Amino acid sequence: MTKAIKLLTALPQAQRERLMELAHEVSFPEDARIFEAGGTADRFWVIRSGAVNLDQQVTPQQRVTVASLGAGDLLGWSWLFPPYTWDFGAVAFSQVRAYEFDASAVLALCVEDPLLGLSLVRSVAEILAHRLETTRGRLMEQYTLHRRSLL
């Protein structure tokens, strides 16, 4: 499996510096719900410290964790694609410190600087591809364990 892509280190330094001009620091206490599936995706975060679980509501009483994110990870990508709503929910697993970015300001910067926009979209795409590969691996492990339990 390939190494996880970290958004800020994936961008060239000059583009990273321009993007960081739009960042502001935020924190979330342990167990804070950061966003809910179906909500408006108008921002994103890069986690500085702590851990965040992405989850999916499977029944009214049950949520399933689909991914865990930590320092350096991108939290939120739905701001890039219509209909601009979150596909998953996110909850702070521990105290979290992060850089927060307003999506409309970042998108305006991408229009102003198309090379930055291309680098950003390419980096987000690589992150999503890695997460998909990781999820596929977990599903295959679960399938294998399930098959073995049936024998």
Side-chain angles (χ1 to χ4, degrees), residues 33-82:
R33 177 131 312 259
I34 300 168
F35 57 82
E36 189 64 70
T40 301
D42 59 356
R43 64 196 69 240
F44 66 96
W45 301 263
V46 174
I47 300 169
R48 296 180 60 218
S49 64
V52 173
N53 286 340
L54 297 179
D55 58 25
Q56 183 69 55
Q57 190 90 37
V58 292
T59 70
Q61 299 80 24
Q62 184 184 14
R63 293 178 188 269
V64 173
T65 298
V66 296
S68 296
L69 307 176
D73 285 335
L74 170 67
L75 172 59
W77 52 266
S78 298
W79 60 276
L80 263 177
F81 307 102

Side-chain angles (χ1 to χ4, degrees), residues 72-131:
D73 285 335
L74 170 67
L75 172 59
W77 52 266
S78 298
W79 60 276
L80 263 177
F81 307 102
Y84 309 107
T85 57
W86 300 118
D87 288 317
F88 301 102
V91 66
F93 184 74
S94 65
Q95 170 75 26
V96 173
R97 292 178 36 214
Y99 293 117
E100 184 176 83
F101 298 87
D102 176 85
S104 60
V106 172
L107 291 171
L109 178 61
C110 291
V111 169
E112 177 187 318
D113 184 345
L115 289 177
L116 185 149
L118 178 61
S119 293
L120 182 63
V121 169
R122 186 173 282 157
S123 296
V124 171
E126 288 181 41
I127 290 166
L128 295 177
H130 178 266
R131 289 184 187 170

Side-chain angles (χ1 to χ4, degrees), residues 127-146:
I127 290 166
L128 295 177
H130 178 266
R131 289 184 187 170
L132 183 60
E133 179 183 328
T134 300
T135 301
R136 184 182 65 81
R138 281 193 212 138
L139 287 172
M140 291 304 296
E141 286 174 18
Q142 289 177 1
Y143 174 76
T144 301
L145 290 173
H146 177 72

